[in-house]
Amino acid sequence: MTTQPPAPAPATAPPPPGTSFFHRYARLVSGRRSKWAVLVLWVLLISFGGSLAAKIGDVQNNEPATWLPSDAQSTRAVDIAEEHFDDKNVTDAVVVYARQGGLTAADQDKIAADRSLLTSHQAVAADIPSASAATDGKAAFLTVPLHTDHSDNSVLGDGVEALREAAEKDAPAGLDIKIAGEAGNIADFIDIYSGMDTTLLTVTLALVALFLLVIYRSPVLWLIPLLSVGLASQIASAVVYLLAKHAGLVVDGQSAYVLTILVLGVGTDYALLLIARYREELHRHQDRHEAMAYALARCLPAIAASAATVGLATLCLVFGSMNSTQGLGPVVAIGVAVTFLAMTSLLPAFLVILGRWAFWPFIPRYTAAQHGADTGKDHGIWRRVAAFVQARPRQIWIATALVLAALALGSTTLSTGQTQEEQFTQSVDSVEGQKLLARHFPAGSSSPADVYVPSQGREAALAALKGVPGVSQTGPPAVAGGWAHISVVLDAAPDTGAARETVERMRTALGDAEGEAASALVGGQTAVKLDTSDAQTKEEILLIPLILGVVLLMLIVLLRALVAPILLLLSVVLSYGAAVGTAALLFHALGYPRIDRGLLLFGFLFLVALGVDYTIFLMTRAREEVARRGHREGILTGLTVTGGVITSAGLVLAATFCVLAVIPTVASLQQGLLVAVGVLLDTFLVRSLLIPALALEVGPRIWRPGHPEAPSEQPVSPPAQPARLGG
């Protein structure tokens, strides 16, 4: 015989709101007159910030070398190059010319003409060296130094485009021309991210709109949260732009698109939670202003805890060593803060102004006779889930934990170290150019390593480098300001593991050399990749425990307990492992098995911070019900009444992160899939089965040292008319 959750008793009228900050704030934003002031304030903000939001692309910096820690060897090499060799704001592009049957005389004339013409081009920063020809006679390349500006992406992007147009103009038929090198690679990323903010915003808004239409089945209601999150996204982007422009906040393409996706996803979650509770209170209260005051006051602790957890967890990134990591934290925290303010002020004001008719055709009516007692008809699925959990809590939590652990084993199939070719989901010029170079030249020709050594140690440095396996050739030293610059061509392509191993051997050989050569620095594209990987490893060791500590502290403060937060944190970590394992299997299936090392920290941050959100929503409601019903009935009621809204929120958030797949880079695709998989696991396994089953198994001890449950002999009053999933 299946055990059923306890049938609800007639609901008593809720006590009037108290005088806490939450209640005062709720009454302020939903007041009869103050709601209009809130609306006017947000209209003024969007009228000022709307135009600024569109400029966020102007302050992005996507050049890898500028993101490294200041003590990295490749960063110090860049400093020397800029100070002594006039390499400041200069990035090399490589123009590759190839013909399968061999370069013709017309091809040779074209290459010579391009060198002569481009030397005087305004985009070119210095003289262009003579063309390098392949021994097989089928290819040649020009190394063209281009102007760049870290604060203005268009300088390099326009320079590469001008270079491409000049090289392709009047080219002999059949001559293959590609733009490779570091400048070509950066320009491809700039081109991909150009205008992507608008595309992401449009696609995500459309997806959220579709979900809201399905959830609410109302021609009006879906517009209210959609408009609120859309405005929040614009204000958040405007704030980030102003801080990047005038306060030195660092922003790259990743942090910009994460900001858009996160604001829309998290904002919709908060909206679903608030609207669901508002619907409940409309059944209890004849006055919609009073209903919103009750609803917002009861939702604010959970929403505030969620926003604080995500915000503080992401701010931990400022302790990272890489500038890209340090910049992502404040950007996300700003987005979450703006979203919290919008969803707890603009959204309530909108809802109260529009009144009950906004829910049409499923208008929640005041039911005075029963004070909106819960009939249970809107929670059939989740009552059955609660009954299932109640019947076998021990078997369920053990089985769920084992499933998650098994999924986590998939993470053993992951490998790091993406090559340039593996960074894009579509063909780009820089990748095709690198392939051409690799066929006809040493693969490292497109981006040689740069060795900077005190000038007195240049001969010893040359001698040390010539014996290093993987070094193809060394150029003659150029001397300036007491330093010598040696260009070193590697056998392997600059973005491969083999090239990074060669750089490590070069650094070891130079470090063991005598005299000034021991002070040599190895920089360049490959060295940047190597130093980035090392910095990411150090960041994981520092930041992962720090983020866990912040999340644990927030849970302790919210639940006023110790046992529950520890169990919840362990469940989130297990869920993260399962998400990584499941995503790894998906990556293999899609043909992108290798990841960038930064994905692990990115995924950990967002899955721990966002994954705990649904647990917060569940446990804060459960704690409220436990105080009225006792432990077992409170846990089951909390699961029942939050099931629909949290599931909806999880589906929306997972879908919004999947939108990252529209960006044609493997990193964005993998980030979106990882977070989406993790959110779905949290929604359907962790929050629905593991946590409630564990709470029943542990019993009232889970709330220790607090005691939220009411004495069992007191009458139990269920919540009135909990929100249903659909209208």
Side-chain angles (χ1 to χ4, degrees), residues 186 260 296 348 391 422 465 516 521 629 657 711:
I186 295 172
T260 300
L296 184 56
E422 296 168 334
L465 291 170
E516 297 288 348
L521 301 170
R629 298 170 173 270
F657 269 91

Side-chain angles (χ1 to χ4, degrees), residues 103-114:
L103 295 177
T104 65
D107 296 337
Q108 300 287 359
D109 291 342
K110 167 63 175 171
I111 296 170
D114 282 353

Side-chain angles (χ1 to χ4, degrees), residues 230-452:
L231 294 178
S233 175
Q234 293 297 289
I235 297 300
S237 295
V239 173
V240 169
Y241 167 77
L242 288 173
L243 292 177
K245 187 73 173 178
H246 303 292
L249 178 65
V250 285
V251 182
D252 65 356
Q254 173 182 279
S255 56
Y257 68 65
V258 167
L259 174 67
T260 300
I261 295 296
L262 187 75
V263 168
L264 295 179
V266 171
T268 304
D269 281 3
Y270 296 164
L272 289 169
L273 186 68
L274 176 60
I275 292 174
R277 197 63 187 258
Y278 178 47
R279 188 196 296 271
E280 290 185 34
E281 298 301 333
L282 284 173
H283 286 286
R284 290 193 175 110
H285 300 276
Q286 209 163 14
D287 185 345
R288 67 183 188 275
H289 301 85
E290 197 72 16
M292 178 56 76
Y294 277 86
L296 184 56
R298 287 179 167 87
C299 286
L300 264 176
I303 296 177
S306 168
T309 300
V310 178
L312 292 176
T314 54
L315 281 177
C316 291
L317 297 185
V318 301
F319 298 106
S321 57
M322 293 181 61
N323 293 328
S324 55
T325 304
Q326 295 172 356
L328 179 62
V331 169
V332 173
I334 289 168
V336 171
V338 172
T339 303
F340 169 76
L341 292 174
M343 295 302 103
T344 58
S345 60
L346 177 62
L347 177 61
F350 266 148
L351 289 168
V352 175
I353 288 170
L354 294 176
R356 294 174 188 262
W357 73 268
F359 289 85
W360 185 87
F362 304 98
I363 299 176
R365 304 293 185 184
Y366 173 62
T367 50
Q370 295 183 330
H371 298 292
D374 181 12
T375 64
K377 64 181 180 181
D378 297 323
H379 299 286
I381 293 176
W382 290 101
R383 286 190 181 281
R384 290 193 289 273
V385 172
F388 175 66
V389 172
Q390 181 186 21
R392 301 176 182 84
R394 179 171 299 176
Q395 294 94 321
I396 288 173
W397 80 257
I398 292 176
T400 306
L402 290 176
V403 169
L404 293 172
L407 291 175
L409 294 177
S411 61
T412 59
T413 66
L414 282 178
S415 59
T416 59
Q418 276 182 355
T419 64
Q420 180 182 346
E421 183 178 352
E422 296 168 334
Q423 290 177 339
F424 301 93
T425 59
Q426 66 181 31
S427 176
V428 295
D429 224 31
S430 60
V431 170
E432 297 304 316
Q434 177 59 42
K435 290 179 180 178
L436 283 178
L437 282 170
R439 292 192 197 112
H440 305 287
F441 298 90
S445 300
S446 65
S447 186
D450 296 309
V451 175
Y452 296 93

Side-chain angles (χ1 to χ4, degrees), residues 626 630-632 695-704 706-709:
V626 165
H631 179 74
R632 177 171 292 271
L696 293 180
E697 173 78 3
V698 176
R701 292 173 297 175
I702 199 171
W703 305 107
R704 288 181 178 174
H707 300 282
E709 66 274 16

Side-chain angles (χ1 to χ4, degrees), residues 568-644:
L568 298 181
L569 193 67
L570 291 175
S571 71
V572 171
V573 172
L574 179 60
S575 176
Y576 167 72
V580 173
T582 306
L585 299 178
L586 288 175
F587 298 162
H588 280 278
L590 294 172
Y592 306 115
R594 211 189 311 267
I595 66 169
D596 179 82
R597 184 61 182 261
L599 177 67
L600 298 178
L601 180 59
F602 177 94
F604 182 85
L605 170 68
F606 286 101
L607 286 180
V608 169
L610 295 176
V612 81
D613 266 9
Y614 302 130
T615 302
I616 287 175
F617 295 162
L618 168 65
M619 294 303 284
T620 51
R621 185 60 184 263
R623 194 178 193 279
E624 178 184 331
E625 298 298 333
V626 165
R628 303 166 64 196
R629 298 170 173 270
H631 179 74
R632 177 171 292 271
E633 294 182 10
I635 293 294
L636 296 173
T637 301
L639 174 60
T640 300
V641 299
T642 63

